């Protein structure tokens, strides 16, 4: 069995005979015995290589014996086991304590699971003594008003070395043990010169929670005898796997949205130093080899200057040299790209830095069979270690080129002639959402201005709107956030093709023409303080609460969960409140005082605190008599129930989609949701839930008849993406779907090499579509724009409902707002439904064809999703299409 697990294909027959291992008189049986012996030796060497630092470290380098080796702290050799995050941090602390002249340890912050994000600042003893002076001087390169006079002759280059943002791509984080040891303990002229010329920001684990989850799994299934079969449990993690952070997010897509603490902490330190180079050590499929940038030339974002790619190519020569020395096969300029700025290897490119992606074939466990032979964990670690060293050698050699580039990048930004002077933005209905957007801009050190007192337009209001100018160092990043990409050089992408953030936030914005002088006010120094709350004193009648604010659903849930009954306005009204006569729109929440289990004083106190806590305007009523519209006691004012939510998770379900829902409900809305695996759902009492959510994925193991009966009994089922088609295929809805036409004629004869490009262009990588909205529908309560931007990254194209009232969000003839969509997909999208409300028995099914919660920064979809939760069951059954009538 062992021999069958080993690939000797890279050795010719002559190798065995020339080495004297075989002779020409050997029988087949004797050859097989010798092969068995060789395989045992092979695995023994694998085991020894994980226990001998000489396998990894460069030859002819002496090391300071006072610096602890990894095994002294983590209790095993590098590559023998997968290092857990706690032991990784312990080693970094030990290194800093043993080599304080070279190493300073900082804690950037903590993850959701309260694991520390540590950063080692490594440089020469001389530089450590003047570290703050070096940092301040280095920052001058990114200030075009001061950078011209900065002398870079002896300025150290700043290099950020980052590891394993995907927790189950662990060779990077395990390599960091070796890198830290080498940089702290190596002795001699070469290392001294390197440290004198560089300041290294050393990040051993981008994703502590994911690394801990994966290392526990891989070590749990490691045996004394190596098992290399890819089918073995060691190589097949259970859902959701270690790739993601606590909330199952891919945080290598979060550098731009900065939703998560891991990203927020890292970005703060990034801008504190503004490095010249940032490396991002990843893993790829086990049957691959090793990739380093440059990526595909035609897939570079047009905002990235050519010089950035030139420097990337210059640095690549050093990676090639190091990997050639090891005999490691590699590739470049294929598969991976520099397009989406939310990744670790591309975000630096619009900050005067050069991001470098490394992708090592993954052993996933400790040794795995691949098409290239048995891939061992130590082998993967050694490649990562050597490309970290190649980066540092390249940085040292090209130090002046990178420093000069950073200076020129920011000088060019200011000198560039732009067709506009900036942008104005803000939502007068939802200042809390505007504040969340401002927070993102501030994290990226983008300069923001208040709206001028002299602004004469009616579309934006001072105090609710703000401006960003393109006459600032971060202008390129401003463009990346606000602009749509007009043209594309390629039609295949590694990630999404559009991310216009004002559209994602459903945030009104417009460009400011050059020469306009009455827009920009004084500089915004901090986030505006919001002052919404309850207007009026205690009422004996009731209270009205606005639904426009982003956190209004959180406020409503807290009231309902406290046992306070509430209703929703489905017909706008005008009524006298304590502050005067006022109009109230669709979705306004009414809290009556009568017939409550709480006293009037308790209700008043609770509404006061909730309105302030969530920045939701509320008013004290003085009467039920309206000037216009429906009275609060009308049947058109619908009673609400407290959501009791179950989210289907586990094998088959898209973990990222599920994590986005979990994050929204838990972190932003303070609403609990039970997480049910399909097997648990099948045997659980689901009558305790009134709302079930199913996101993208496959649900082959789910008891569909049980789910159908639950909906018929009055439950609200919310399905999105692939779950929409699943519900239709299994008889829960009667939705029909459009399909795409083939991009090629069946009579055409094409060359094989064209297949990748033609097929790839038909993928939906992620684009922004504008949906037309029925603002009177309960699923649209809280929206004020007739067009809402949704994110589409699938090929689910539902036809509109036969009922004229049941498609509250739909795509018209030209819905594309930003991103790449093939002609065939574009035709399929036209005049399709984005959202359909259906009834099944006494229950409701809300089908959302796309992902309203994409990456947790698509705040424009939040209201739709929360409306489905709170108002889905009040949708009039007479206005929906009934699946059980066909």
């Amino acid at each position: 069995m062992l021999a069958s697990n080993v690939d000797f294909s890279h050795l010719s027959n002559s190798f065995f005979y020339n080495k004297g291992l075989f002779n020409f008189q050997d029988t087949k049986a004797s050859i097989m015995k010798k092969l068995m012996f060789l395989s045992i030796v092979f695995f023994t060497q694998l085991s020894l290589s994980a226990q001998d630092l000489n396998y990894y470290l460069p030859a002819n380098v002496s090391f300071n014996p006072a610096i602890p080796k990894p095994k002294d702290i983590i209790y095993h050799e590098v590559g023998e086991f997968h290092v857990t995050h706690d032991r990784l941090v312990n080693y970094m602390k030990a290194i800093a304590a043993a080599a304080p002249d070279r190493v300073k340890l900082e804690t950037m912050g903590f993850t959701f699971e309260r694991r520390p994000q540590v950063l080692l600042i490594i440089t020469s003893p001389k530089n450590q003594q003047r570290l703050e002076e070096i940092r301040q001087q280095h920052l001058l390169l990114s200030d075009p008003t001061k950078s011209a006079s900065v002398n870079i002759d002896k300025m150290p280059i700043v290099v950020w070395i980052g590891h394993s943002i995907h927790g189950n791509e662990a060779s990077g984080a395990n390599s960091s043990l070796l890198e830290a040891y080498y940089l702290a303990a190596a002795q001699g002229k070469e290392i001294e010169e390197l440290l004198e010329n560089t300041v290294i920001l050393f990040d051993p684990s981008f994703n502590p929670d994911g690394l801990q989850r994966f290392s526990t799994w891989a070590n749990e299934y490691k045996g004394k005898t190596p098992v290399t079969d890819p089918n073995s449990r060691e190589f097949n993690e259970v859902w959701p796997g270690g790739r993601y952070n606590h909330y199952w997010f891919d945080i290598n897509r979060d550098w731009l949205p900065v939703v998560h603490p891991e990203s927020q902490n890292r970005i703060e330190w990034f801008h504190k130093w503004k490095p010249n180079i940032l490396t991002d050590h990843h893993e790829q499929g086990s049957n691959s080899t090793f990739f380093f940038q440059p990526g595909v030339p035609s897939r570079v974002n047009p905002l990235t200057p050519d010089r950035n790619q030139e420097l990337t190519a210059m640095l690549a020569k050093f990676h090639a040299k190091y990997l050639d020395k090891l005999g490691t096969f590699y590739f470049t300029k294929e598969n991976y790209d520099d397009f989406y700025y939310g990744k670790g290897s591309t975000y630096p490119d619009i900050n005067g830095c050069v991001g470098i992606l490394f992708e090592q074939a993954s052993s996933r466990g400790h040794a795995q069979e691949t098409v290239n032979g048995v891939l061992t964990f130590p082998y993967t670690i050694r490649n990562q270690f050597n490309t970290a060293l190649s980066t540092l050698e390249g940085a040292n050699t090209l130090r002046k080129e990178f420093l000069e580039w950073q200076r020129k990048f920011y000088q060019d930004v200011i000198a560039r002639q732009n067709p506009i002077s900036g942008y104005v933005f803000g939502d007068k209905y939802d200042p809390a959402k505007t504040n969340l957007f401002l927070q993102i801009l501030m994290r990226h050190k983008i300069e923001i201005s208040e709206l001028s007192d002299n602004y004469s337009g009616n579309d934006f209001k001072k105090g609710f709107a703000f401006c960003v100018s393109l006459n600032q160092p971060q202008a390129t990043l401003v463009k990346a956030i606000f602009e749509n990409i007009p043209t594309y050089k390629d039609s295949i992408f590694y990630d999404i093709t559009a991310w216009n953030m004002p559209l994602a936030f459903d945030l009104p914005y417009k460009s400011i023409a050059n020469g306009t002088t009455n827009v920009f006010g004084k500089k915004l120094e901090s986030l505006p303080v919001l002052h919404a709350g309850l207007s009026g004193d205690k009422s004996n009648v009731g209270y009205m609460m606005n639904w426009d604010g982003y956190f209004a659903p959180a406020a409503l849930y807290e009231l309902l969960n406290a046992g306070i009954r509430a209703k929703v306005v489905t017909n706008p009204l005008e009524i006298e409140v304590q502050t005067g006569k006022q109009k109230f729109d669709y979705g306004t929440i009414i809290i009556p005082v009568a017939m409550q289990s709480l006293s009037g004083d308790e209700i008043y106190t609770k509404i006061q605190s909730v309105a302030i806590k969530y920045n939701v305007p509320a008013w004290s009523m003085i009467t039920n008599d309206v000037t216009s519209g429906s009275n609060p006691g009308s049947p058109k004012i619908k009673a609400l129930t407290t959501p009791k939510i179950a989210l289907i998770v586990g094998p088959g379900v898209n973990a990222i989609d599920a994590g986005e829902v979990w994050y929204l409900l838990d972190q932003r809305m303070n609403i609990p949701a039970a997480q049910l695996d399909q097997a648990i759902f099948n045997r659980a009492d689901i009558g305790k839930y009134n709302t079930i959510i199913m996101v993208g994925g496959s649900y082959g193991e789910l008891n569909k008849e049980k789910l159908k009966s639950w909906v018929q009994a009055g439950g609200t089922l919310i399905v999105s993406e692939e779950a929409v088609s699943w519900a239709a295929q299994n008889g829960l809805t009667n939705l029909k779907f459009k399909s795409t036409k083939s991009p090629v004629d069946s009579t055409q004869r094409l060359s094989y090499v064209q297949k990748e490009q033609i097929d790839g262009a038909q993928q939906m990588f992620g684009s922004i579509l504008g949906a037309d909205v029925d603002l009177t529908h309960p699923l649209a309560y809280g929206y004020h724009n007739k067009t809402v931007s949704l994110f589409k990254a699938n090929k689910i194209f539902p036809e509109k409902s036969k009922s004229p009232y049941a498609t509250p969000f739909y795509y018209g003839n030209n819905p594309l707002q930003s991103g790449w969509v093939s002609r065939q997909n574009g035709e399929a999208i036209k005049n399709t439904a984005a959202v359909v409300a259906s009834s099944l028995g006494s229950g409701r099914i809300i089908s959302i064809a796309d992902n309203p919660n994409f990456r947790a920064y698509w705040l424009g979809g939040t209201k739709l999703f929360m409306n489905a939760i709170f108002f889905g069951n009040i949708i009039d059954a007479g206005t929906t299409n009934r699946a059980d009538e066909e």
Side-chain angles (χ1 to χ4, degrees), residues 161-177:
I161 306 289
H163 306 84
S164 301
I165 202 164
H166 297 140
N168 61 0
E169 298 176 5
S171 58
N174 282 264
S175 171
S176 76
L177 296 163

Side-chain angles (χ1 to χ4, degrees), residues 806-824:
T807 310
F809 293 71
Y810 68 94
Y811 299 126
N813 282 318
N814 188 26
L816 182 63
Q817 293 178 315
S818 184
W820 164 262
V821 174
S822 72
R823 180 175 57 82
Q824 292 77 16

Side-chain angles (χ1 to χ4, degrees), residues 235-248:
F235 312 110
N236 295 278
E237 304 166 78
V238 293
W239 193 97
R243 179 183 179 89
Y244 311 117
N245 78 340
H246 176 78
Y247 283 97
W248 314 331

Side-chain angles (χ1 to χ4, degrees), residues 54-159:
N54 290 330
Y55 174 75
Y56 304 105
L57 299 176
N60 303 317
V61 176
S62 61
F63 293 89
N64 183 349
I67 306 301
K69 297 178 180 179
K71 186 179 181 181
D72 299 333
I73 306 299
I74 67 171
Y75 310 117
H76 61 80
E77 295 288 357
V78 175
E80 183 183 4
F81 290 89
H82 284 252
V83 69
T84 58
H85 184 261
D86 54 337
R87 293 186 180 186
L88 180 67
V89 170
N90 287 343
Y91 186 66
M92 298 303 151
K93 290 180 177 179
I95 285 287
D101 58 330
R102 288 188 183 183
V103 182
K104 180 181 181 181
L105 185 142
E106 299 279 2
T107 299
M108 295 185 287
F110 295 86
T111 69
F112 282 117
E113 296 177 15
R114 302 303 295 167
R115 291 192 174 85
Q117 288 177 268
V118 298
L119 184 74
L120 303 187
I121 303 177
I122 306 173
T123 188
S124 69
K126 181 181 175 182
N127 289 342
Q128 286 286 1
Q129 292 175 4
R130 50 186 289 266
L131 198 60
E132 180 59 17
E133 177 188 342
I134 291 173
R135 187 181 74 85
Q136 293 290 351
Q137 187 180 36
H138 181 80
L139 290 178
L140 294 177
L141 292 179
S142 57
D143 183 349
T145 65
K146 300 176 181 178
S147 61
S149 62
V150 176
N151 186 345
I152 64 171
D153 288 345
K154 295 185 178 180
M155 177 183 285
I157 185 173
V158 180
V159 182

Side-chain angles (χ1 to χ4, degrees), residues 385-447:
F385 173 64
N386 274 271
T387 48
L389 296 189
S390 67
T391 299
L392 293 174
E393 182 180 317
N396 187 21
T397 304
L398 303 170
R399 177 180 62 87
K400 285 190 177 181
E401 285 88 339
F402 277 93
L403 292 170
E404 185 57 49
W405 164 238
Q406 189 170 62
R407 168 161 51 195
K408 189 175 187 306
F409 175 88
Y410 285 103
Q411 289 175 341
D412 288 349
V413 166
I414 296 299
R416 188 175 296 121
Q417 294 296 314
N418 294 298
I420 61 173
S421 62
Y423 297 91
V424 58
F425 61 91
D427 191 334
K428 63 184 178 182
Y429 298 105
D430 192 355
K433 185 174 65 176
T434 302
N435 260 25
L436 291 172
F437 187 72
L438 289 171
Q439 196 172 51
I440 292 175
L441 300 182
M442 288 180 170
R443 292 190 192 281
H444 294 300
K445 307 306 176 186
I446 291 172
E447 298 170 6

Side-chain angles (χ1 to χ4, degrees), residues 23 62 96 99 134 149 197 225 365 458 598 615 734 821 832 850 875:
N23 57 61
S62 61
I134 291 173
S149 62
N197 290 331
T225 306
N458 296 320
L598 277 66
N615 196 58
N734 61 6
V821 174
T832 57
D850 303 311
I875 297 172

Side-chain angles (χ1 to χ4, degrees), residues 703-723:
N703 186 331
K704 63 182 180 182
E705 293 303 322
K706 182 176 182 178
L707 179 62
K708 189 173 184 178
S709 297
W710 174 86
V711 176
Q712 290 172 325
T716 298
L717 175 64
I718 302 170
V719 290
S720 62
E721 299 198 275
E722 291 84 5

Side-chain angles (χ1 to χ4, degrees), residues 12-32:
S12 65
N13 290 338
S14 61
F15 170 87
F16 294 103
Y17 293 109
N18 292 340
K19 296 295 182 181
L21 299 175
F22 299 155
N23 57 61
F24 290 100
Q25 285 72 42
D26 275 335
T27 64
K28 182 176 181 180
S30 63
I31 290 176
M32 289 304 297

